[in-house]
Amino acid sequence: MSLISAASEVRENAYAPYSRFKVGAAIRGGSGAVYRGCNVENVAFPEGTCAEAGAIAAMVAAGETEIIEVCVIADSPAPVPPCGGCRQKLAEFGRHDVPVTLATVDGQQTTTTIGDLLPGRFDASHMDRA
Ligand code: THU
């Protein structure tokens, strides 16, 4: 199954009663396995989690720590880019050149990279004097 199909499928399970905005994410780990996540909202709004965070959690729970490809899909007028926090989360596990496909349910698609989504990211080297 393609990454976009996996993201589209898991999006159906999103729990988004407050925003009514369902998001699906699928990531391919270094092994080739695909991990999925959807947004899970909460009545205490800041406690909600993004689709990307769910997919990353599934990957790490399965014992993998390298992302080689990402896809995010939503029903929006244009492909929705990951939020700032998710960009940092993706950068933790994926190299700069990892492709990130952003898609809409009506077939629009654009591809960027983890590096382009988060230039100048905070990484472990910034703590070298600690
Ligand atoms: N959301 C995601 O899951 N991923 C994104 O990349 C953008 C935003 C979710 C969070 C919240 O449940 C809803 O979309 C509206 O912000």
Side-chain angles (χ1 to χ4, degrees):
M1 180 184 283
S2 71
L3 216 54
I4 195 161
S5 301
S8 179
E9 213 174 78
V10 71
R11 178 184 164 273
E12 299 297 330
N13 295 339
Y15 177 74
Y18 306 107
S19 71
R20 302 196 179 286
F21 187 66
K22 293 184 165 197
V23 184
I27 57 184
R28 194 180 304 281
S31 72
V34 172
Y35 303 96
R36 307 159 183 223
C38 55
N39 51 332
V40 181
E41 298 186 346
N42 191 280
V43 64
F45 292 174
E47 299 304 325
T49 51
C50 286
E52 296 90 328
I56 289 169
M59 177 188 77
V60 174
E64 289 208 56
T65 53
E66 193 197 355
I67 296 175
I68 61 168
E69 199 181 346
V70 182
C71 178
V72 183
I73 190 166
D75 184 7
S76 46
V80 172
C83 76
C86 285
R87 293 175 193 218
Q88 185 74 39
K89 290 182 177 79
L90 291 168
E92 180 76 16
F93 299 104
R95 291 161 34 127
H96 288 241
D97 59 351
V98 164
V100 181
T101 296
L102 308 170
T104 66
V105 295
D106 62 9
Q108 295 177 66
Q109 207 171 302
T110 180
T111 299
T112 179
T113 63
I114 287 180
D116 281 348
L117 284 171
L118 191 63
R121 68 160 154 161
F122 173 68
D123 65 32
S125 70
H126 294 106
M127 297 188 289
D128 278 353
R129 290 187 186 173

